[in-house]
Amino acid sequence: MSEPVFNPYLVPGTDLLRNLAGARTQRELAEIKHSLATARALELMDDLPVPDGTVAQLRSIHRFLFQDVYDWSGRSDHTQNRPRLSRQE
């Protein structure tokens, strides 16, 4: 039996994304993420950046939208341990 692979994006021993909100279930995280990211999106709509088509700008927008949910939002990690998106998110 092999050792489990450490995924820096997950709460250890779970499949839940590590989060700043303290969510302990997928449902709780989805609800919190929706609420917080929607509030940030409304802020962003008030002062939309001029699109420049760069990955850096995309990361910046991701960071802005999800800064209250994930400490890793907007980072440019090139690892195999990226979060898996599920229909629950």
Side-chain angles (χ1 to χ4, degrees):
M1 201 190 254
S2 63
E3 287 289 317
V5 175
F6 174 74
N7 185 325
Y9 293 104
L10 299 179
V11 173
T14 74
D15 64 350
L16 183 68
L17 291 172
R18 195 178 76 238
N19 64 86
L20 298 171
R24 295 184 182 269
T25 66
Q26 296 289 355
R27 179 182 210 129
E28 186 180 13
L29 179 57
E31 290 171 0
I32 291 168
K33 180 171 59 174
H34 175 76
S35 176
L36 294 174
T38 298
R40 290 292 183 179
L42 292 173
E43 278 185 60
L44 187 63
M45 295 296 286
D46 288 337
D47 189 21
L48 284 173
V50 176
D52 65 12
T54 65
V55 173
Q57 185 179 48
L58 182 61
R59 283 194 313 259
S60 176
I61 292 168
H62 186 271
R63 173 74 186 141
F64 184 81
L65 291 173
F66 296 104
Q67 65 184 307
D68 303 309
V69 183
Y70 307 117
D71 63 350
W72 46 265
S73 64
R75 282 200 335 213
S76 177
D77 289 351
H78 297 286
T79 70
Q80 294 181 356
N81 295 326
R82 293 196 174 127
R84 286 177 303 186
L85 299 178
S86 70
R87 291 180 185 217
Q88 295 172 338
E89 291 188 283

